[in-house]
Structure formats: structure tokens, C-alpha cells
Amino acid sequence: MIIGTVVNVMAVGVGSILGVTIGKRIRSEIKDSVMKALGLAVVVLGIKMSFEKHDFLLALIAMVIGTVVGELINIELFLENIGGYFQQKFRSESGSFVLAFVTASVLFCVGSMTIIGAINDGLNNDPSVLYIKSLLDGVSSIILASTLGIGVLFSVVVILVYQGFLSLLAFKFTFLLNDPIYVNGISVVGGIIILGIGLNMLGLTKIKTGNMLPSLFIIPVIDFLAKIIA
């Protein structure tokens, strides 16, 4: 039921290793330029996703509630601690290990393709969406790992747990496949979070995008309630 997630993990793993190998041969000035270019691309992707057809006010409410929940739980700190554990365990001397781990973990787990793909894989044994995501993530991991380093590789743990969990509990989320409004809502909220990731990569801000992740699960609930009230 989680074959799509397994393929996704393998794609990111191989891409990360390739990226680290390539990155060792690239000058720091080029890495910096590539990181800025990638950051701009992520910003554009976030903006594009944010303009899906959906009530923006509902997305805004979901973002506020989700971020409050995320701050109370402090998901960002949790991810940073996991990254720090891996860095210590494997004795990595990379100065950007934790940053790479958190950035990749959030980036690869945000968006409608992640949630809808995992549910479709678990419910209908159809990993096609996750296969497409695997290709995109594989390419992205090469670029990320070449600039941020080996920390990107360990994001596969988060991908495996997160997507695998969604696939195994897919029957609880079947309603997300029945109405495009839910997919669009997740895309808008995911786009806003991805925009924050892009701004962080450009060094313009330090937004705790990990603490916004609960918004992805709150927006379908708000959309459902809005349909009932309407």
C-alpha cells in the first residue's frame, strides 16, 4: 500500500547522493548562485500554487489556526532536533546539515501531490501520482544536496513516515478525493508554505515553515464546514 512512498524515498535518496557527489566539485560561489536561483524557483512555485481556485479567506483562516497549533507543538524544533540527532549520529561536519534536513523535509512533504498521492496509493493501490512526485523530488534533491549538503538525504525518514502514515490511514481521508475544492485548498495552503521556504532559501527571512504544516490538515476541515453552512 505504500509502494509509491518507497519509490519516492529511493528517488530522493539517489538524488541526494548524486547531489552531494556533484556538490563537492562545485565552487562555493557557484553553489550560492544556484541556491538563490533555486530559491527564486521555489518562490514562483509557491505563488503559482497559491492562485488555485479557492476561497482565500478560508485558506488564511487555516493558516492562522494551523500555525498556532504548529507553534504550540513546535514542529520546527522537533525537526531540527531530529536533524541534529542524525548529524551527531553520523558525525557529519556539514555546517548546513540541520538546515538541509528541515528544508528538504518540509519541501518534500508539502503540497496536494503528497497528500492526495499518498491517499490514492493506500486506498486504490494507485501510486501514479507519487511516481510523478518522485521524479520531481529526485531532481530537486540533486539540486538541494549539491548546495546544502548531505542533510537532504536524511529527509527520506520524514517522507517515509509521513507519506506512509497517510497511505496506511487512507480510508480516513477518502472525502479528499471526491471534491476538487479540497485539493485546491491544500494546494493554496501548501503554496503559501512553499513560498515561505523559498524566501528562507534566499536568506530574506527565517520563517518557521515547519510550524505551518498543520494547516494542510485544517483546510479540508474548514472547507467541509463551509460547505455544510452554505
Side-chain angles (χ1 to χ4, degrees), residues 18-131:
L18 287 175
V20 171
T21 303
I22 296 172
K24 291 178 180 179
R25 304 175 183 178
I26 301 176
R27 297 199 313 271
S28 58
E29 296 85 358
I30 298 177
K31 286 184 181 180
D32 183 62
S33 296
V34 171
M35 176 56 65
K36 287 183 170 60
L38 182 59
L40 286 173
V42 173
V43 167
V44 172
L45 175 62
I47 293 174
K48 181 180 178 181
M49 289 175 61
S50 300
F51 279 93
E52 288 284 353
K53 186 177 181 181
H54 187 273
D55 189 329
F56 191 77
L57 178 60
L58 297 182
L60 180 59
I61 294 173
M63 286 296 303
V64 171
I65 297 175
T67 302
V68 170
V69 172
E71 285 288 340
L72 292 175
I73 302 174
N74 209 341
I75 298 174
E76 185 91 3
L77 179 60
F78 177 69
L79 290 174
E80 288 177 354
N81 287 339
I82 294 177
Y85 170 79
F86 284 136
Q87 181 174 18
Q88 184 179 25
K89 192 73 173 177
F90 292 90
R91 298 176 182 177
S92 172
E93 298 180 357
S94 172
S96 59
F97 188 100
V98 175
L99 173 63
F101 173 78
V102 175
T103 299
S105 296
V106 176
L107 182 62
F108 294 150
C109 291
V110 169
S112 58
M113 288 186 75
T114 301
I115 298 176
I116 301 303
I119 293 173
N120 208 30
D121 190 15
L123 191 66
N124 301 319
N125 197 26
D126 178 11
S128 57
V129 175
L130 289 184
Y131 285 164

Side-chain angles (χ1 to χ4, degrees), residues 177-221:
L177 303 177
N178 300 326
D179 193 330
I181 191 66
Y182 298 121
V183 179
N184 290 347
I186 294 171
S187 291
V188 172
V189 171
I192 296 173
I193 298 175
I194 288 177
L195 176 59
I197 295 173
L199 293 176
N200 285 344
M201 292 173 69
L202 290 171
L204 299 177
T205 58
K206 183 57 182 77
I207 300 172
K208 296 180 179 180
T209 52
N211 288 346
M212 299 177 180
L213 289 176
S215 307
L216 294 169
F217 299 95
I218 291 175
I219 184 61
V221 176

Side-chain angles (χ1 to χ4, degrees), residues 137-197:
D137 288 355
V139 174
S140 299
S141 64
I142 294 175
I143 301 172
L144 275 178
S146 67
T147 52
L148 290 179
I150 193 64
V152 176
L153 173 62
F154 293 88
S155 66
V156 298
V157 176
V158 178
I159 297 172
L160 180 62
V161 173
Y162 179 68
Q163 286 186 183
F165 175 77
L166 288 176
S167 291
L168 293 174
L169 292 182
F171 63 94
K172 293 287 188 179
F173 306 102
T174 54
F175 69 97
L176 294 178
L177 303 177
N178 300 326
D179 193 330
I181 191 66
Y182 298 121
V183 179
N184 290 347
I186 294 171
S187 291
V188 172
V189 171
I192 296 173
I193 298 175
I194 288 177
L195 176 59
I197 295 173

